[in-house]
Amino acid sequence: MTLALNGEEIGKKLAEAFPAAVVSSDKLNVLVDSKHLQPVAEYLKNTSGLEFDYLTFVTATDYLDYLEIVYRLVSLKNNHSLILKTRCHTRDNPVVPTVVNTWRAAYYQEREIFDLLGIRFEGHPDMRRLLLWEGFQGHPLRRDYL
Amino acid sequence: MPIKTEPFYLNIGPQHPSTHGVFRLRVALDGEVVVGVEPIIGYLHRGIEKLAETRTYTQTIPFTDRLDYLSSMTNNLAYCLAVEKLGGLKVPERAEYIRVIFSEIMRISSHMMAVGFFLNDLGAMMTPVLYMWREREKIMDMFEMVCGQRLLYNYMRIGGVSQNLPDDFMPAVKKFLAEMPKYIDEYDQLLAQNEILLARSKGVGILSKDTAIGIGASGPVLRASGVKWDIRKMDPYSIYERFDFEVPTGDTGDCYDRYWVRMLEIRQSVRILEQAIAQIPEKGAVCADVPQFFRPPRGEAYGYLEGPKGNIGFYIVSDGSIAPYRLHIYPPTLINITALSDMVIGWKVADLIIIFGSIDVVLGEIDR
């Protein structure tokens, strides 16, 4: 069984390493401040005992008050998983740092989020629309699109 | 001093037989050698994630058929697993066995298409495909028997499956399982040591173990690179922990390994099917009692499984209403082509075609 790690314990561990990074954590997931996303990602990948070397999905949800980005991390070595989240509180031109340099799996998925939800990933090597054509107006997966 | 020349740009697709759908590859060439490749996708984008937001949970099942249309059953199942996880539903025993039986039949069918068209890309025009289709036809007949459809089944339901197995299904599947090992031997005799296949695919398009993990590859592509990772073993869903089977892996991660891992997986699927047919309870309900307008509690869930092409998953956010607030589809083949440029640069155009073919993509899933 892939063990879903307790978010609270990971949250405590992260708070020791990066005091300002963790916004909240509960049993299922850890919510981090997007400013600290890149160092947190590197830490989760390279710390022994965690070793999240495999990123499955990255997606985002529009909750109207904020946009939430969800990462599901898996460690193939230890067979455990973690849900990592971050939020942006602005709707016009939201920006989040990219995790492509840590997990290349995010390459197309971040482009897709930019395309469909309009979140720009800072530092992504090729931030263009993926599925829709250039010149398309709006971001269809936002809840206020239609 | 070598003379530096401008690269030549060639568009392969969107309408081209080797792209397996409407897919465009913008290839930079130096003579006949590939120096850069850029996949351009979205020609088949239907906005399934958006459509699901205005439909009930059950109404979304037919859309999942249209993702990877060569493995509709496993797509149905992955979606149903996610909704069941969200709603905390329990599936009847007999339905679990039926789900496993159809998942494995689907895997055999999908791998046969993958191997057949891989050889087609190699230049063995249509002959291997027709051999593979001979058996796939029997699989299609079995699907038609149970749900009336040959390609887009819409068979799985939230909490079980839509209808019970008909009386003539069991004899048909037993006959199929008795014949199948002979046919696989026949394919291996024809293909496995074929000199042309070996010359064209051994050592071509190598995907290293580290790159495969880094890009998040899954399914036969990941296993061919030597990573023993199969969701059925590592995180068993449905009732997979009851079956005895092995996870085949490759050594180098070249095109031949990807082909060979699929052939070995077909044998393992036959093994699982034999056990499932022997164990399935004779009688019992095939679907839990789920209301037509199912309202799962608020929350989010991720249901995923080991599909024929990789690890397909559905991430669902529920706001307690009859429709999902957000549905995200995790497409394994889109992730598997992330490392396409690593695999093809330095090879010739003809190799590009088979490297792309060996990944086994379906555009319905990439574009959603």
Side-chain angles (χ1 to χ4, degrees):
Chain A
M1 270 320 224
T2 304
L3 178 72
L5 291 185
N6 189 330
E8 277 171 357
E9 284 169 24
I10 305 295
K12 266 185 214 147
K13 236 180 186 173
L14 282 173
E16 277 170 30
F18 310 96
V22 181
V23 178
S24 70
S25 61
D26 57 30
K27 257 184 99 167
L28 301 170
N29 47 52
V30 186
L31 178 67
V32 297
D33 189 340
S34 65
K35 283 203 285 290
H36 300 273
L37 185 65
Q38 277 175 343
V40 165
E42 282 293 327
Y43 176 84
L44 287 172
K45 190 184 177 185
N46 298 322
T47 308
S48 72
L50 299 174
E51 287 151 308
F52 290 103
D53 49 1
Y54 187 84
L55 173 73
T56 46
F57 74 85
V58 187
T59 189
T61 310
D62 180 8
Y63 288 101
L64 295 171
D65 297 337
Y66 54 87
L67 295 152
E68 187 171 79
I69 300 121
V70 186
Y71 303 83
R72 182 173 181 270
L73 313 173
V74 176
S75 167
L76 297 192
K77 198 177 161 199
N78 305 320
N79 198 6
H80 58 216
S81 68
L82 177 75
I83 302 274
L84 182 73
K85 291 183 174 180
T86 187
R87 284 178 187 170
C88 338
H89 291 272
T90 161
R91 294 183 72 77
D92 337 301
N93 200 18
V95 180
V96 170
T98 177
V99 294
V100 164
N101 301 325
T102 315
W103 298 290
R104 223 178 123 195
Y107 185 83
Y108 282 122
Q109 305 192 64
E110 285 185 348
R111 271 183 70 183
E112 184 191 316
I113 295 170
F114 169 66
D115 187 358
L116 301 177
L117 282 128
I119 300 166
R120 187 172 286 280
F121 289 86
E122 188 133 57
H124 190 286
D126 187 17
M127 197 81 273
R128 284 181 297 142
R129 284 189 182 271
L130 182 72
L131 297 170
L132 302 169
W133 57 97
E134 308 110 41
F136 186 89
Q137 293 297 311
H139 302 286
L141 278 181
R142 287 208 181 171
R143 291 297 292 197
D144 55 3
Y145 179 75
L146 270 181
Chain B
M1 194 182 129
I3 302 165
K4 207 163 179 249
T5 52
E6 284 287 307
F8 171 74
Y9 286 96
L10 177 71
N11 272 305
I12 301 180
Q15 306 293 340
H16 189 277
S18 76
T19 58
H20 304 249
V22 275
F23 179 83
R24 183 170 145 214
L25 274 171
R26 193 163 177 267
V27 192
L29 296 174
D30 178 13
E32 213 192 325
V33 178
V34 178
V35 292
V37 62
E38 185 196 351
I40 297 163
I41 61 171
Y43 295 95
L44 205 63
H45 180 60
R46 294 147 294 172
I48 289 174
E49 294 177 5
K50 187 73 182 172
L51 287 169
E53 288 175 10
T54 52
R55 275 155 182 83
T56 67
Y57 281 91
T58 311
Q59 282 174 336
T60 302
I61 299 172
F63 289 131
T64 65
D65 286 326
R66 285 144 181 88
L67 294 168
D68 175 357
Y69 39 78
L70 297 179
S71 56
S72 307
M73 277 291 180
T74 47
N75 298 346
N76 281 181
L77 181 55
Y79 173 74
C80 291
L81 285 177
V83 181
E84 283 154 15
K85 210 181 255 184
L86 197 57
L89 292 171
K90 189 109 183 66
V91 179
E93 180 92 353
R94 186 171 160 83
E96 293 276 31
Y97 276 98
I98 295 175
R99 284 176 166 196
V100 168
I101 289 171
F102 283 115
S103 299
E104 293 308 316
I105 296 180
M106 197 78 252
R107 193 182 314 277
I108 295 175
S109 156
S110 172
H111 281 354
M112 283 176 140
M113 290 288 277
V115 171
F117 279 106
F118 169 62
L119 285 145
N120 211 15
D121 288 342
L122 266 169
M125 209 58 192
M126 283 332 268
T127 312
V129 176
L130 287 173
Y131 270 93
M132 302 286 170
W133 274 354
R134 184 182 58 186
E135 274 66 67
R136 189 169 174 270
E137 188 60 27
K138 290 167 191 154
I139 294 175
M140 296 288 105
D141 288 344
M142 281 191 268
F143 282 128
E144 194 180 354
M145 224 180 259
V146 75
C147 60
Q149 292 287 333
R150 292 170 65 83
L151 193 67
L152 306 166
Y153 312 112
N154 187 20
Y155 180 59
M156 305 283 177
R157 284 292 180 280
I158 299 158
V161 295
S162 73
Q163 51 205 306
N164 213 334
L165 299 175
D167 294 337
D168 45 356
F169 176 78
M170 277 299 169
V173 74
K174 279 178 186 156
K175 185 162 175 277
F176 171 75
L177 287 178
E179 290 170 352
M180 199 56 206
K182 264 187 294 173
Y183 288 128
I184 306 171
D185 290 341
E186 189 184 350
Y187 305 144
D188 287 353
Q189 204 181 354
L190 285 168
L191 303 170
Q193 293 304 320
N194 182 304
E195 210 174 320
I196 303 169
L197 175 68
L198 288 172
R200 289 293 308 280
S201 65
K202 271 263 182 206
V204 175
I206 293 174
L207 180 67
S208 71
K209 196 172 170 174
D210 290 339
T211 317
I213 296 173
I215 64 154
S218 56
V221 176
L222 179 68
R223 288 191 284 277
S225 296
V227 185
K228 213 178 174 97
W229 184 265
D230 188 317
I231 309 292
R232 292 174 294 172
K233 272 270 192 256
M234 304 313 284
D235 191 9
Y237 52 93
S238 193
I239 47 164
Y240 272 101
E241 68 278 1
R242 296 184 197 173
F243 304 112
D244 180 33
F245 64 99
E246 276 150 38
V247 180
T249 53
D251 308 316
T252 49
D254 56 11
C255 290
Y256 187 82
D257 277 354
R258 285 190 279 278
Y259 148 75
W260 188 237
V261 161
R262 288 195 179 98
M263 291 311 285
L264 294 174
E265 278 184 16
I266 295 177
R267 287 183 192 273
Q268 295 301 324
S269 290
V270 173
R271 235 175 110 186
I272 298 172
L273 276 170
E274 279 165 352
Q275 295 168 50
I277 297 292
Q279 291 174 20
I280 183 169
E282 289 276 315
K283 285 193 174 64
V286 291
C287 195
D289 204 8
V290 181
Q292 190 178 4
F293 295 106
F294 180 55
R295 290 166 201 268
R298 273 170 174 278
E300 53 198 79
Y302 179 58
Y304 63 112
L305 54 74
E306 185 67 42
K309 299 190 170 57
N311 156 10
I312 180 164
F314 289 81
Y315 169 76
I316 304 176
V317 179
S318 162
D319 60 351
S321 70
I322 57 168
Y325 183 80
R326 169 88 170 95
L327 172 76
H328 173 68
I329 302 158
Y330 172 73
T333 45
L334 172 65
I335 308 303
N336 287 347
I337 61 164
T338 307
L340 190 63
S341 59
D342 300 39
M343 288 152 83
V344 300
I345 286 176
W347 294 98
K348 299 224 162 75
V349 179
D351 298 317
L352 163 76
I353 303 294
I354 64 162
I355 293 166
F356 184 67
S358 74
I359 301 175
D360 183 20
V361 300
V362 164
L363 270 296
E365 184 177 83
I366 290 184
D367 292 345
R368 282 156 290 157

